[in-house]
Amino acid sequence: MKWGEYGVSRGVCGVVMQGRRSSCSYHRYDFDDDFDEIKKGSWKEEEDEVLINHVKKYGPRDWSSIRSKGLLQRTGKSCRLRWVNKLRPNLKNGVKFSGEEERTVIELQGQFGNKWARIATYLSGRTDNDVKNFWSSRQKRLARILRTSQNNTTRTCASPLILEAPKLSSSKEHEESLSKSQSCSSSYIDNSDHMMNQVHVPLEDLVMTPNSIAFEPNMLMHHQLHIRSATTNPNDEKKLGIIESSHIPTHDDDFALPLENQEFSIMPNFIDVLGHGFDNVEIPYVNRQIEKPLTPDSFIDDFPLDMFEHIEPLQSPSQW
DNA sequence: AAGCCCACCAACCGCTTCCGA
DNA sequence: ATCGGAAGCGGTTGGTGGGCT
């Protein structure tokens, strides 16, 4: 039985069952809601028809009038959502994201962050909800891969990678950059000759949130960003990876560049950073740089699962 | 066959932004 | 300038179905 068939809503939402409260123990109510008038839960075909007819007549607007006119017992909000996500013409309902769509979402998420509505405008037939759900699923999948790899080995990669960028020109600029970064901690280190802005980024954050510190365009613009592992000697130039800021798309670019030109030069260096753990692992993505843009996510996606078992434990900075 | 896990997706909520009076 | 309603957006929840043990 589908709850929706009986108008059963999710969570603490109210319920309308043939206009009366049900005593069924499965049904939950929020008595703050006016349950006699507002229906929640799955939509029926009849309701869809009413909504479609309303849009045909008046266009996709005046959502709240649908209820005030007594056409449906739904809130305007609910009607709008139903139209936008399910009833609108030319939607790709039930069609999986193509590879191209996936790459587009990944690229745009890196550029815009979680601006799902904006990202959806680049994908015909996709809604913000589609994009959001796609991304959420993807994040969960990646998280599970990482979790599994950590559980399967006593060796972990819990220590952070360290991203280093030249000190920004002013402390205000520095603060602004950091305030825009998520899930990162930061500190200054006085490296005598040059002040470095040192940002500690857990590996998970680096690979899971491409719009986090490592890829924050505002922070990286006009700078080279050095990346090294906590395991390495800070002076070991061979272990330094460099993100060329010229390769980082900015918010101002408005996605003018073709996708294939927007790749991060961090990727080959990322292997250097991770070091010997990958020595015996075939890296599948290397030849794909030409045919497909590299992103933090596509980068991780192409790893064989057992590859994570080869990650060497990273020492804490105190062990240098 | 049953139970569990997970991916996918619909729909909700709260908050923000927009816009007209 | 301000206020209130409508619309838009992003985060979250929870149901369903398929695969696996």
Side-chain angles (χ1 to χ4, degrees), chain A residues 21-301:
Chain A
R21 286 186 190 181
S22 163
S23 59
C24 174
S25 60
Y26 289 115
H27 300 167
R28 286 172 287 183
Y29 307 95
D30 178 358
F31 293 108
D32 291 335
D33 278 353
D34 187 352
F35 68 89
D36 279 331
E37 292 188 18
I38 299 175
K39 184 180 177 185
K40 299 179 182 178
S42 300
W43 282 68
K44 293 176 181 174
E45 257 183 56
E46 308 91 84
E47 292 178 300
D48 283 344
E49 278 178 31
V50 171
L51 186 54
I52 289 168
N53 286 335
H54 177 271
V55 173
K56 276 180 185 170
K57 258 185 176 179
Y58 306 102
R61 61 181 74 85
D62 294 335
W63 301 113
S64 50
S65 72
I66 295 173
R67 180 159 162 249
S68 63
K69 287 174 183 169
L71 298 174
L72 289 173
Q73 290 176 307
R74 302 274 184 174
T75 63
K77 210 172 178 175
S78 177
C79 292
R80 180 192 152 268
L81 215 59
R82 180 67 180 172
W83 172 259
V84 167
N85 289 336
K86 292 302 292 180
L87 302 179
R88 207 161 35 119
N90 304 322
L91 286 179
K92 292 180 182 171
N93 279 329
V95 180
K96 278 190 167 296
F97 274 60
S98 67
E100 184 58 37
E101 285 176 316
E102 288 191 24
R103 284 193 290 276
T104 302
V105 171
I106 291 161
E107 288 286 343
L108 292 173
Q109 201 281 341
Q111 188 176 359
F112 301 141
N114 296 356
K115 300 295 179 187
W116 309 123
R118 185 170 183 186
I119 293 171
T121 61
Y122 291 85
L123 301 163
S124 75
R126 299 296 186 187
T127 68
D128 58 343
N129 216 27
D130 291 336
V131 177
K132 189 166 58 180
N133 283 334
F134 162 75
W135 188 260
S136 168
S137 286
R138 182 186 179 78
Q139 294 298 85
K140 282 179 191 168
R141 194 169 70 240
L142 291 174
R144 192 168 52 82
I145 289 170
L146 278 173
R147 201 169 53 241
T148 303
S149 71
Q150 287 176 349
N151 288 345
N152 286 347
T153 175
T154 54
R155 296 175 298 179
T156 67
C157 52
S159 300
L161 295 167
I162 296 176
L163 303 178
E164 292 179 350
K167 187 180 183 301
L168 298 171
S169 56
S170 70
S171 59
K172 184 170 180 289
E173 192 179 349
H174 169 69
E175 282 172 19
E176 284 173 356
S177 294
L178 291 178
S179 70
K180 286 171 183 167
S181 313
Q182 296 172 357
S183 63
C184 298
S185 61
S186 65
S187 63
Y188 276 122
I189 56 171
D190 186 347
N191 208 4
S192 61
D193 284 337
H194 60 291
M195 288 280 284
M196 300 291 286
N197 173 21
Q198 187 183 70
V199 184
H200 295 248
V201 184
L203 177 59
E204 291 88 339
D205 283 356
L206 185 64
V207 300
M208 299 292 290
T209 56
N211 62 323
S212 67
I213 184 66
F215 305 99
E216 174 55 59
N218 290 340
M219 178 175 178
L220 299 178
M221 209 158 14
H222 312 309
H223 297 284
Q224 279 191 334
L225 193 115
H226 298 259
I227 177 171
R228 64 178 168 79
S229 163
T231 59
T232 62
N233 183 327
N235 296 320
D236 184 356
E237 287 298 326
K238 285 190 292 185
K239 290 291 182 184
L240 286 176
I242 298 176
I243 301 173
E244 296 288 351
S245 61
S246 59
H247 287 194
I248 308 290
T250 70
H251 291 298
D252 297 332
D253 288 339
D254 202 23
F255 207 61
L257 288 172
L259 288 176
E260 53 269 25
N261 292 339
Q262 299 192 2
E263 60 184 55
F264 299 114
S265 62
I266 183 176
M267 296 315 162
N269 298 316
F270 198 66
I271 293 301
D272 290 340
V273 170
L274 292 176
H276 308 300
F278 296 126
D279 283 353
N280 299 320
V281 177
E282 184 184 347
I283 308 297
Y285 69 90
V286 170
N287 292 330
R288 293 182 40 195
Q289 290 185 57
I290 299 165
E291 62 192 64
K292 175 178 165 181
L294 271 171
T295 68
D297 283 289
S298 63
F299 175 73
I300 289 297
D301 259 6

